[in-house]
Amino acid sequence: MTGRAIGFVPTMGALHPGHISLIEESRKQSDFTVCSIFVNPTQFNDPADFARYPITIDKDIESLEKAGCDLLFLPAVSGIYPDHPPRSVHYELGYLENLLEGRYRPGHFQGVCMVVDRLLTIVEPDHLFLGQKDYQQCMVIRRLLELTGRVDAIALHICPTLREKDGLAMSSRNMRLNEADRKTAAVIYQALSALKSQLRPGDLTGLKMQATQRLAGAGFRTDYVEIADARTLEPVSNWDGQQRIVALAAAFLGEVRLIDNLPLNG
Ligand code: AMP
């Protein structure tokens, strides 16, 4: 589409206002907005999680029309992976692949890169819109753009996390929480916010432990609570008061795995 800037918002559907905020941003920054909905089988390390992923396609189409999205790309698995099972490619993600989400979801980021690489080849966007909610994923996709020589061709926009009134980060997975767990789920944000308000230069071990204990006390099964360099995601255990840092957490309530993060300064 010569002369018209294409903005692209890749999603897995079960759309909520967080997704729609990306569509709105794309409409501001580009001339033609494409949204994809594709529940990508190659990024699920747990087949049960894939099987239970919520699908609300009629409602999604309505939300996209209302938001003024120009085109919905809704491929079948064979549309993205005609070579199913897909020929294996390895993306050199370095240490990013083995920490935090990478550590707890082996293979996840290779699957994310595989699908985003193919989607970008098909859509050929000028702008790509991602949510900061998936902090590490944003870094992985930035790396993918470098690895595939797209850094100059595609402008990456990282958009703020939209939250519910009680602070819970909006997520398609939230609709799988029962009523009691939905109330408890806000504790993730509360724990991260408490960590932010108590942040002082020096040793951060106690703060991380407090947040972990708070989650455990509320009934979460925690994968990690970490404080990391905001640019590299390398863990920070002693803060000099200057370095830009972010707190990240992943924890289960029942079978539902929730992630969140909060930049702590700057
Ligand atoms: P998903 O459908 O979960 O794969 O998400 C598709 C895109 O929407 C990703 O770039 C996510 O980071 C982004 N996203 C998900 N939840 C939110 C949220 N609460 N606020 C802003 N963006 C979000």
Side-chain angles (χ1 to χ4, degrees):
M1 212 182 285
T2 356
R4 294 182 73 192
I6 298 178
F8 180 39
V9 180
T11 81
M12 297 207 298
L15 301 182
H16 52 67
H19 294 117
I20 298 303
S21 72
L22 304 190
I23 302 286
E24 284 164 358
E25 195 53 32
S26 172
R27 291 195 64 209
K28 278 188 213 149
Q29 309 257 1
S30 33
D31 304 312
F32 190 88
T33 292
V34 179
C35 174
S36 65
I37 296 183
F38 180 64
V39 185
N40 172 37
T42 69
Q43 75 184 68
F44 284 83
N45 51 317
D46 172 6
D49 188 28
F50 176 61
R52 284 191 298 254
Y53 202 83
I55 293 176
T56 59
I57 196 65
D58 293 338
K59 198 170 146 266
D60 292 352
I61 290 171
E62 229 175 82
S63 311
L64 289 172
E65 278 178 344
K66 215 160 126 200
C69 177
D70 296 295
L71 191 134
L72 166 62
F73 180 43
L74 185 63
V77 173
S78 59
I80 298 295
Y81 301 120
D83 51 345
H84 204 68
R87 104 194 94 80
S88 100
V89 198
H90 184 77
Y91 297 90
E92 273 312 318
L93 301 175
Y95 69 93
L96 264 185
E97 181 151 13
N98 300 316
L99 53 79
L100 303 172
E101 287 301 284
R103 171 160 173 225
Y104 287 92
R105 302 187 67 188
H108 169 64
F109 286 130
Q110 288 296 324
V112 168
C113 285
M114 186 182 279
V115 75
V116 173
D117 195 0
R118 292 185 185 208
L119 287 168
L120 294 179
T121 301
I122 296 167
V123 177
E124 293 188 3
D126 303 283
H127 298 269
L128 176 62
F129 298 85
L130 303 174
Q132 191 169 42
K133 152 93 179 11
D134 296 279
Y135 198 98
Q136 191 172 2
Q137 176 170 277
C138 293
M139 294 181 59
V140 163
I141 293 179
R142 193 190 296 280
R143 175 97 186 109
L144 173 73
L145 296 183
E146 285 166 13
L147 287 171
T148 57
R150 290 176 169 118
V151 170
D152 295 330
I154 301 179
L156 180 59
H157 304 263
I158 297 176
C159 306
T161 303
L162 255 69
R163 299 181 178 280
E164 303 287 355
K165 281 204 182 78
D166 62 0
L168 174 65
M170 290 180 182
S171 163
S172 307
R173 287 190 167 84
N174 295 350
M175 62 178 79
R176 288 182 42 215
L177 295 167
N178 64 34
E179 208 178 312
D181 284 348
R182 168 61 192 83
K183 281 193 188 135
T184 307
V187 174
I188 294 200
Y189 179 66
Q190 290 161 10
L192 294 178
S193 302
L195 200 153
K196 179 172 179 170
S197 65
Q198 290 165 37
L199 183 69
R200 303 282 178 278
D203 186 14
L204 301 174
T205 323
L207 273 187
K208 279 193 260 184
M209 209 175 315
Q210 266 179 39
T212 309
Q213 281 166 357
R214 185 158 181 181
L215 291 176
F220 286 87
R221 197 156 38 84
T222 302
D223 274 351
Y224 61 81
V225 173
E226 189 55 272
I227 299 176
D229 183 284
R231 214 172 33 85
T232 66
L233 269 194
E234 286 179 271
V236 175
S237 46
N238 212 302
W239 184 49
D240 61 6
Q242 301 291 321
Q243 188 178 9
R244 275 186 51 232
I245 52 178
V246 56
L248 309 105
F252 284 88
L253 269 180
E255 289 171 338
V256 184
R257 187 172 185 276
L258 301 172
I259 61 170
D260 200 356
N261 66 79
L262 199 60
L264 299 181
N265 57 338

